[in-house]
Amino acid sequence: MNSEIRYRFKSAQLANRFLNRLKNWHIADVKAKLSHGGLAVKINYQFDGMGFDYTVAELDDLAAQLEGEEF
């Protein structure tokens, strides 16, 4: 199942830092791109739908480190 999630940040600089960290991310294979004028990052990844989604939990933690939040 394809999952999509978006995070918004207080500045384009923070959004770009988040995006750059995802380029070499070892947790899961995600596709990410900037959106909403560079203040948000849209992420797509595959989730099997079984059990807890650890990928989104790790993404939430990483975004929170950069003052980002899911929307």
Side-chain angles (χ1 to χ4, degrees):
M1 166 172 67
N2 187 44
S3 292
E4 180 179 294
I5 190 167
R6 295 173 194 228
Y7 294 94
R8 77 173 144 224
F9 297 87
K10 293 180 180 181
S11 70
Q13 182 181 22
L14 291 171
N16 275 297
R17 283 184 187 165
F18 181 72
L19 182 63
N20 286 331
R21 288 187 185 178
L22 291 177
K23 288 182 180 180
N24 296 312
W25 203 43
H26 66 280
I27 303 293
D29 182 27
V30 297
K31 295 184 183 357
K33 65 181 181 177
L34 291 174
S35 66
H36 289 83
L39 294 174
V41 177
K42 177 181 169 184
I43 301 167
N44 288 298
Y45 65 96
Q46 293 296 316
F47 175 59
D48 63 8
M50 306 289 277
F52 184 74
D53 186 354
Y54 289 98
T55 301
V56 78
E58 293 290 337
L59 287 167
D60 285 348
D61 289 345
L62 181 59
Q65 291 173 14
L66 296 168
E67 303 177 33
E69 61 184 9
E70 181 181 351
F71 75 104

